[in-house]
Amino acid sequence: MRDIWADIDNVLIDEDALQARIRAMGAQIEADYADKDDLLLICVLKGAFMFLSDISRAMKRPHSVDFMGISSYGKGTTSKGAVQIIMDLKAPIEDRHVLIVEDIIDSGRTLDYMRRSLMARSPASLRICTLLNKPARREIDVAVEYVGFDIPDEFVVGYGLDFDEYYRNLPFIAVLKPQVFAHLLH
Ligand code: IMP
Ligand code: MG
């Protein structure tokens, strides 16, 4: 069996730091939405599934969740540019207070697309919460209300984020050894 742990170069954000930050983000969101009866968290699949489960449990207030499948990456580590909805929400969001929960904002294409397509459905409000942000890679300026961590321009995996569909189960955010990507560079 393949040893995914042997592919890790270094841990960028460990489990304790992730959990502490997520608890703080949950408290901030609860405070900001204190006067709203309604809150709907929309998880951007697949990468945000772990973040959604922890940020949801970090909040005691009532809220519901829904899921949206978005695809913009192929097998490599750079965006192909085209963003596609591959699984839509279960229910309408008209007049609801919506918070998009995303794993990482890189070029900004995915969240720009999501913001525009969800705004067209007339929510009562729409905000974005991302665990990670790579400011150096931004191509499209998207307003993001909640950011967990700003990180350097490095491809990261773990805690839901994948490379080639693996490494999502690592409980921390890590950088892979350069040789893991070697086969992509010919
Ligand atoms: P954007 O559309 O370029 O902002 O990219 C956002 C999407 O690309 C994220 O939702 C991730 O799924 C993926 N992505 C961007 N950077 C990374 C990374 O460092 N590791 C894993 N996935 C990434
Ligand atoms: Mg994603």
Side-chain angles (χ1 to χ4, degrees), residues 56-181:
S56 174
R57 285 178 292 181
M59 288 188 268
K60 292 187 192 73
R61 63 154 294 140
H63 60 274
S64 44
V65 300
D66 205 345
F67 298 85
M68 197 162 190
I70 297 283
S71 172
S72 64
Y73 274 59
K75 279 199 153 195
T77 61
T78 53
S79 176
K80 301 266 187 300
V83 181
Q84 250 188 314
I85 296 180
I86 52 177
M87 190 191 94
D88 207 346
L89 300 170
K90 194 92 175 198
I93 58 168
E94 191 176 352
D95 297 332
R96 302 214 49 194
H97 290 287
V98 174
L99 181 62
I100 299 173
V101 176
E102 173 63 307
D103 53 357
I104 187 166
I105 177 164
D106 186 52
S107 70
R109 287 178 197 283
T110 305
L111 284 174
D112 176 62
Y113 176 83
M114 281 203 68
R115 192 184 264 289
R116 284 187 289 107
S117 59
L118 295 185
M119 274 312 285
R121 303 180 191 190
S122 310
S125 70
L126 181 64
R127 288 184 175 181
I128 294 176
C129 172
T130 185
L131 179 66
L132 305 175
N133 177 35
K134 279 190 211 172
R137 305 239 327 155
R138 196 64 32 85
E139 290 168 25
I140 299 177
D141 191 28
V142 192
V144 180
E145 287 79 7
Y146 304 97
V147 175
F149 300 87
D150 282 334
I151 62 167
D153 180 9
E154 279 190 285
F155 193 80
V156 292
V157 297
Y159 197 72
L161 290 100
D162 77 304
F163 170 61
D164 209 4
E165 292 300 328
Y166 285 96
Y167 311 103
R168 294 192 196 272
N169 57 317
L170 298 174
F172 43 69
I173 299 292
V175 178
L176 296 175
K177 290 174 182 164
Q179 57 263 38
V180 178
F181 307 108

Side-chain angles (χ1 to χ4, degrees), residues 44-60:
V44 186
L45 294 173
K46 300 175 190 168
F49 80 97
M50 226 173 258
F51 180 39
L52 185 275
S53 82
D54 282 338
I55 194 91
S56 174
R57 285 178 292 181
M59 288 188 268
K60 292 187 192 73

